[in-house]
Amino acid sequence: MTDLSSLPITKKWPAQHPDRVQLYSLPTPNGVKASIFLEETGLPYEPHLVSFSTNDQMSPEFLSLNPNNKIPAIVDPHGPGGQPLALFESGAILLYLAEKSGQLLPSDPARRYETIQWLMFQMGGIGPMFGQLGFFHKFAGRDYEDKRPRDRYVAESKRLLSVLNQRLVGRDWIMGDEYTIADIATFPWVGNLVGFYEAGDLVGIQDYPEVTRVLQAFRARPAVKRGLEIPKRA
Ligand SMILES: N[C@@H](CCC(=O)N[C@@H](CS)C(=O)NCC(=O)O)C(=O)O
């Protein structure tokens, strides 16, 4: 039986099943990337809720895993060399779990790097830009008199949507027939933009029909439906 009790994170979030991947998260667009992957692949895992309303992400136990105080983070009790491996950054988590499970990342080297390229496109572009748009459109930034920051993020989000739309022409998913971690990284953010952020009209989402088509297909997947609710909010 694996023993994770020496890890400080397990003091606040005890592992009931220390043999399983431990997920510390909240159902946000970054958080659900990990839970959707785990639901899609069936890798055994145990979710733990990191509540922002109680600032759990700033607790010493969480910071021991991710000094950057952001979800998601994981501990794989059976990491390289059979030792526990702690990881943060959703892109790194997706890559690690895909390689570990041999799922949702093409094995052909060229296609594998193409998938990683689109994963990075989400991590460096879609996530940060849509996130800023959300701040200026829906949250505190909404009240700023100067609309130039908001307009900048709207313009950049539109540009990214148009790149994604073009990529999806004639393809079922970002990598064609193959559903991959690039889709799992990207579509929670597109869903969040038009859903929670209520920015669909602002970015003119109807101008990106390939994106909305694939978003619909993504949302219809049973594992996505489950993953979007994990960990359960209190
Ligand atoms: N680049 C990081 C971003 C993670 C991130 O921004 N997480 C947000 C929720 S979507 C968070 O934990 N925010 C809490 C905070 O900033 O205190 C990743 O992809 O994992």
Side-chain angles (χ1 to χ4, degrees), residues 140-189:
R142 197 182 47 183
D143 300 327
Y144 295 4
E145 228 168 85
D146 186 347
K147 296 299 173 204
R148 283 174 298 178
R150 187 204 65 176
D151 293 348
R152 173 176 163 76
Y153 292 115
V154 171
E156 185 60 3
S157 298
K158 285 175 149 181
R159 195 189 62 76
L160 292 164
L161 282 167
S162 126
V163 172
L164 182 61
N165 197 68
Q166 189 52 39
R167 170 68 187 184
L168 292 169
V169 172
R171 291 185 171 90
D172 288 343
W173 303 104
I174 290 174
M175 288 302 294
D177 294 346
E178 221 172 337
Y179 172 73
T180 68
I181 55 173
D183 301 294
I184 293 180
T186 302
F187 286 98
W189 271 104

Side-chain angles (χ1 to χ4, degrees), residues 95-108:
L95 265 177
Y96 172 72
L97 293 176
E99 288 189 333
K100 179 185 170 84
S101 65
Q103 296 185 63
L104 303 182
L105 180 63
S107 49
D108 170 75

Side-chain angles (χ1 to χ4, degrees), residues 76-124:
D76 178 6
H78 310 293
Q83 295 305 305
L85 178 77
L87 266 188
F88 62 86
E89 281 295 327
S90 58
I93 292 171
L94 286 175
L95 265 177
Y96 172 72
L97 293 176
E99 288 189 333
K100 179 185 170 84
S101 65
Q103 296 185 63
L104 303 182
L105 180 63
S107 49
D108 170 75
R111 283 182 56 77
R112 182 169 173 278
Y113 280 109
E114 199 178 339
T115 308
I116 294 173
Q117 159 193 280
W118 286 102
L119 173 67
M120 297 301 161
F121 171 78
Q122 185 284 311
M123 293 297 295

Side-chain angles (χ1 to χ4, degrees), residues 173-230:
W173 303 104
I174 290 174
M175 288 302 294
D177 294 346
E178 221 172 337
Y179 172 73
T180 68
I181 55 173
D183 301 294
I184 293 180
T186 302
F187 286 98
W189 271 104
V190 179
N192 197 65
L193 183 74
V194 298
F196 187 53
Y197 287 172
E198 300 172 339
D201 288 344
L202 189 62
V203 297
I205 195 69
Q206 71 286 346
D207 296 340
Y208 311 101
E210 307 296 334
V211 173
T212 51
R213 166 182 61 81
V214 181
L215 174 62
Q216 246 178 356
F218 181 73
R219 282 174 161 167
R221 296 179 71 90
V224 170
K225 290 185 182 160
R226 293 194 302 275
L228 286 171
E229 305 290 329
I230 297 173

